[in-house]
Amino acid sequence: MNNWTQRWDDRYSNEEFAYGEEPNNFFKEQIEKLNTGTILFPAEGEGRNAVYAAKLGLKVAAFDISEEGKNKALKLAAANNVSIDYLVGELETLNYQTEQFDAIALIYAHFPAEIKSSIHKTLDKYLRQNGIIIFEAFSKKHLEYLALNDKVGGPKDIESLFSIEEIKADFPNYEIIQLEEKEIELNEGLFHNGKGSVIRFVGKKK
């Protein structure tokens, strides 16, 4: 996993924000429907979505494996006069509590293929009943888009990408509010630019 950590530290160590400072569009649209509460951001990188949620008055927790990501996120939070509780490390070491959160936002949280499902299942424990998951990440079909335009970003191996079936399998005990595969136009910072294929999911825990 050290190469993985190094990769993200390298990406986040630049002055410019890798994915911009504005929140993801789908996340923004969904989070504005929620009332105040507690929200967790796994693999939150430089903090653009966490900071936006904090500005709306939510109590925000975030984690990532990248110390550089945390540094940028705290800088962004300070610039926006909000605070976020940001931890660095792998999920199983972070001691979140069962049913601690009202919402979890997985925005381009592409974990390594061999652990992505187990991470989803662990995160489920931290969400309370009737809690909401907001998810957007690249779909398996995205490789076709990546072949045409490297600037759109995203994993280059199909196992790290998502399918509707995988989401249903990882989150079986959810009322599906929205679940679709969709072509979208991305314009997020340096690394998400152009047309891509994503899975979007909003689920309410039963």
Side-chain angles (χ1 to χ4, degrees), residues 22-142:
E22 295 302 314
N24 168 267
N25 287 337
F26 180 67
F27 168 73
K28 184 179 179 198
E29 185 185 296
Q30 297 303 322
I31 198 67
E32 286 171 358
K33 299 174 187 174
L34 291 184
N35 295 324
T36 54
T38 53
I39 184 167
L40 176 64
F41 291 86
E44 175 53 7
E46 299 168 318
R48 63 196 175 108
N49 299 304
V51 166
Y52 186 76
K55 283 165 74 177
L56 293 180
L58 280 88
K59 188 176 180 203
V60 174
F63 72 89
D64 201 283
I65 53 168
S66 170
E67 199 70 54
E68 295 286 354
K70 176 184 178 176
N71 294 342
K72 292 277 273 297
L74 295 182
K75 188 168 137 189
L76 187 62
N80 283 277
N81 299 311
V82 294
S83 69
I84 57 177
D85 177 20
Y86 196 122
L87 300 178
V88 174
E90 290 176 26
L91 179 58
E92 62 274 16
T93 67
L94 299 178
N95 300 323
Y96 292 119
Q97 304 302 308
T98 301
E99 299 189 354
Q100 183 176 343
F101 298 102
D102 298 306
I104 295 177
L106 288 153
I107 306 298
Y108 298 96
H110 286 277
F111 295 99
E114 64 278 9
I115 59 169
K116 65 179 189 177
S117 278
S118 66
I119 285 186
H120 285 170
K121 286 167 183 161
T122 301
L123 288 170
D124 170 65
K125 292 183 217 160
Y126 302 144
L127 189 65
R128 67 166 178 77
Q129 191 179 6
N130 296 320
I132 298 288
I133 280 193
I134 302 168
F135 176 102
E136 180 174 286
F138 292 116
S139 82
K140 293 192 185 295
K141 202 186 279 181
H142 183 66

